[in-house]
Amino acid sequence: MAVRIRMKRTGGTNNSCFRVVVMEQTSQRDGKAIEEIGFYNPNSKVETLKVDRYDYWLSVGAQPSDTVKSVAGRIKAGVVLADLERKPSISKKAKAKLAAEAKAKAEAEAAAAAAAEAPAEEAPAEA
């Protein structure tokens, strides 16, 4: 009997939330669960998990899914999902623009440094 700790989808269209459940690996996603041990709502950033039951099921050989592992890790560490900040994603066009600006700035600084060194080198030669 292969037992997994995974998520069971609930909620309506475009308003999904999940229950963290223990169930047979071969059962359907929304099928009958052996036990419900938590809740996860990505929209309102709410996560709950019965850590003692989670640890029990791990001790008897249940395999957690990757998402359940990350939720359990956050809960055990005391990190609140709502406090985490996502890195802003930058489009390819914006990345190219930033790279071009950085290159132009570097070239301008190099030219300014070369211009500043050129008179300094010529002054001792004339003296």
Side-chain angles (χ1 to χ4, degrees):
M1 172 168 113
V3 177
R4 299 272 299 178
I5 303 172
R6 62 186 193 194
M7 294 198 173
K8 181 179 192 177
R9 188 181 190 279
T10 59
T13 306
N14 297 327
N15 189 22
S16 60
C17 51
F18 302 89
R19 292 182 183 155
V20 180
V21 296
V22 179
M23 59 188 347
E24 288 283 330
Q25 186 172 3
T26 57
S27 64
Q28 296 176 355
R29 178 194 72 186
D30 296 337
K32 185 176 179 184
I34 298 170
E35 182 180 1
E36 292 183 8
I37 60 173
F39 181 77
Y40 171 65
N41 187 343
N43 299 323
S44 63
K45 311 276 194 224
V46 174
E47 296 176 318
T48 59
L49 184 69
K50 296 176 187 172
V51 178
D52 58 336
R53 296 304 297 164
Y54 176 78
D55 291 336
Y56 166 77
W57 282 106
L58 289 180
S59 70
V60 295
Q63 296 294 315
S65 68
D66 293 337
T67 308
V68 171
K69 270 187 201 175
S70 64
V71 168
R74 282 194 298 266
I75 289 174
K76 287 181 177 183
V79 177
V80 179
L81 185 62
D83 293 343
L84 297 177
E85 293 184 17
R86 287 183 65 188
K87 295 179 184 175
S89 58
I90 302 174
S91 66
K92 290 180 183 178
K93 189 175 180 180
K95 284 181 185 176
K97 185 177 179 182
L98 289 173
E101 289 174 358
K103 184 178 177 183
K105 184 178 178 181
E107 289 174 354
E109 289 175 357
E117 291 177 9
E121 291 176 2
E122 292 177 7
E126 294 174 6

